Amino acid sequence: MGRKRMAIISLDSDLSLPIVAKSPQNPKVLVEEIVGLIRVYKDGHVERSQIVPRVPCVLPVDLRVTCRDMVIDKYTNIWARFYVPKCNKKLPLLVYFHGGGFCVGSAAWSCYHEFLARLASKVGCVIMSIDYRLAPENPLPAAYEDGQKALMWVKQQAISGPTKWWLRQCDLSNVFLGGDSAGGNIVHNVTLRLCANWAQLKPLVFKGNILIQPFFGGESRTNSETLMVPSPGSALSLTTSDAYWRLSLPKGTNRNHPWCNPRAKGSIKLEKMAYLPTMVCVSELDILKDKNMEFCGVLRDSGIEVEYVVHKGVGHAFQILDKSQHSQMVTQEMISYIKSFIKKRISR
C-alpha cells in the first residue's frame, strides 16, 4: 500500500489564517496543521494523531500509588485521573491540568501518567489530573470553564460525605492548583475566575498555584521567542505556538487577548485580587522563558507572593518528553522544588 502524503502549510507570524493547501488524497481544504499532532479542515473536521499512547490506570506495585479514573461531567465528557499514595495520613490535594496548547493532550497520555504518578509518590500528595475539552472544537474559555466545574465537583463530593476512596486520603484544607504549558495558563485563568470569592468553594481551602512553563504569548515578540534555538526534541516552537493560539482563542482576537497575554490592555488588575501564592518553573531553553519571567514580574509588581526557579539546560515540557539523563536529573530537582513549595504552605 502506498504511503499517504501529508499536506504541509506555512504559517504567518500573526493570527491571520495560514496559507491553504489541499491534500491530493483528500478533497477537504486544510486550514491549519501542526505536523504529527493535529490537522484542522475548513469544514470544521479535526484529526489528531495518536503520537503519544493513551494508557490505562496501571502502575508498578513498588510505587505504592493507587490510580483510578472518574467521570466529572458525562455531558461534556470531562473526567479525571486520580493518583493516591498509600499511606496512613491525610495528604494535600493537587488539581492538575495537562499541556498541549489547548488543542491536544490527555490525562491518559503515557507521559503524564508516568510523571504525575511519580510526582504524587515523591511529593506525598493526592493528584487529580483533569481531562478537559480541547480546541478548536471547544475554543477558550471552554478549558477554563471545565477547570472551574472540576473544582465545584470536588466541593460537591466533599459535601456529600468523605466516603469516596480518594477523598478519605485528602486534606481539603490544603488544596493546590498545578499545570504545565497550557495547563499552567488554565491554572492562572481559573484562579482569576475564583479569587474574588474563594468562599464559594468551601470546604476546599486553596493554598497555592504551581505553574510549569506556563503558556502565555503576545503580539510583541520576546528575545527568547525570536532568538532561542529550541533544544532537540522540544515540544514547542514559535510556529507551533502561534498555531495553537490561532486555534484556541476566540475568533477575531489576537495574541494580545488577556487570556493569552497577562500584560495586555484589559487584563484583570491583580492588586485587589486574592490571588494565590505562586511557584513558576521556567526552562532555560524554552521559547517561553521571557514570557514566564514577565508573568512572575506581573505577580510581584501586584504584591502577589511568587517564587520561581530556572531549570538549566532543558527545554519546554522536558519533564514529560525528554528521557535524557540530564533531563531526568533536572526533573528530580523540579519535583523537590514543588515538594518544598507545598510543604511550606501546608504548615500555614
Side-chain angles (χ1 to χ4, degrees):
M1 181 180 292
R3 187 177 179 181
K4 290 185 177 180
R5 296 175 59 192
M6 293 181 68
I8 307 300
I9 59 177
S10 60
L11 304 175
D12 296 334
S13 59
D14 60 15
L15 284 180
S16 59
L17 285 175
I19 299 171
V20 174
K22 285 187 178 181
S23 166
Q25 278 77 32
N26 193 331
K28 294 180 179 178
V29 178
L30 184 67
V31 295
E32 196 79 77
E33 178 177 22
I34 299 174
V35 177
L37 287 172
I38 187 171
R39 284 172 161 176
V40 181
Y41 295 91
K42 189 174 182 179
D43 65 359
H45 178 67
V46 177
E47 296 174 358
R48 290 182 176 85
S49 302
Q50 296 302 317
I51 192 170
V52 180
R54 294 171 180 256
V55 295
C57 300
V58 178
L59 293 171
V61 176
D62 58 1
L63 197 60
R64 294 186 56 77
V65 174
T66 300
C67 180
R68 296 182 195 171
D69 293 340
M70 294 188 69
V71 174
I72 294 174
D73 187 334
K74 63 181 181 180
Y75 298 105
T76 55
N77 199 30
I78 308 169
W79 59 274
R81 178 161 293 186
F82 288 85
Y83 301 87
V84 182
K86 297 177 181 178
C87 66
N88 296 319
K89 63 178 182 179
K90 287 185 176 292
L91 301 172
L93 171 65
L94 172 61
V95 181
Y96 196 90
F97 299 90
H98 66 77
F102 305 106
C103 299
V104 298
S106 170
W109 270 15
S110 59
C111 55
Y112 281 109
H113 184 64
E114 295 164 6
F115 172 66
L116 293 179
R118 183 165 40 148
L119 187 67
S121 175
K122 297 291 185 182
V123 172
C125 63
V126 175
I127 295 180
M128 176 185 180
S129 177
I130 310 298
D131 201 85
Y132 52 88
R133 290 173 294 169
L134 299 176
E137 303 96 318
N138 301 284
L140 295 175
Y144 307 150
E145 293 168 351
D146 293 352
Q148 191 171 356
K149 181 177 289 185
L151 297 179
M152 293 301 293
W153 179 86
V154 175
K155 169 189 173 175
Q156 293 303 322
Q157 295 290 299
I159 291 174
S160 65
T163 58
K164 309 295 188 298
W165 67 277
W166 61 276
L167 264 180
R168 289 195 298 268
Q169 202 74 54
C170 284
D171 177 2
L172 295 180
S173 65
N174 288 296
V175 182
F176 294 80
L177 301 179
D180 64 288
S181 195
N185 178 294
I186 292 171
V187 169
H188 169 65
N189 281 287
V190 167
T191 298
L192 292 181
R193 285 168 163 250
L194 296 173
C195 62
N197 184 16
W198 287 113
Q200 66 182 297
L201 286 167
K202 286 183 178 181
L204 280 60
V205 179
F206 291 82
K207 292 296 185 65
N209 287 344
I210 300 164
L211 278 59
I212 302 173
Q213 306 134 12
F215 187 42
F216 295 118
E219 287 298 298
S220 297
R221 302 298 195 188
T222 65
N223 286 337
S224 64
E225 286 177 321
T226 56
L227 302 177
M228 182 77 68
V229 177
S231 59
S234 177
L236 193 69
S237 67
L238 191 57
T239 298
T240 302
S241 174
D242 289 349
Y244 281 140
W245 284 119
R246 278 194 294 271
L247 292 173
S248 57
L249 284 171
K251 292 187 182 301
T253 63
N254 62 22
R255 291 186 303 269
N256 280 337
H257 192 290
W259 292 338
C260 174
N261 184 359
R263 300 177 68 192
K265 183 178 180 180
S267 297
I268 296 175
K269 302 299 181 184
L270 300 180
E271 290 85 350
K272 299 179 181 180
M273 306 294 284
Y275 198 92
L276 296 174
T278 298
M279 174 186 183
V280 182
C281 296
V282 184
S283 291
E284 182 185 32
L285 304 181
D286 186 358
I287 64 168
L288 297 181
K289 176 186 174 183
D290 291 348
K291 283 296 181 185
N292 288 180
M293 297 307 297
E294 284 180 3
F295 176 70
C296 292
V298 169
L299 296 185
R300 183 182 60 250
D301 295 344
S302 301
I304 309 299
E305 184 179 350
V306 59
E307 58 183 82
Y308 69 88
V309 57
V310 179
H311 298 289
K312 303 293 185 180
V314 289
H316 194 78
F318 74 91
Q319 74 282 356
I320 59 168
L321 297 178
D322 189 344
K323 300 299 183 182
S324 69
Q325 184 176 358
H326 175 69
S327 175
Q328 293 298 303
M329 179 185 69
V330 179
T331 299
Q332 288 300 324
E333 293 176 358
M334 173 188 284
I335 291 174
S336 296
Y337 280 113
I338 293 173
K339 182 176 182 178
S340 176
F341 177 83
I342 290 177
K343 185 176 180 181
K344 282 188 291 185
R345 276 144 192 86
I346 62 176
S347 61
R348 296 184 179 184

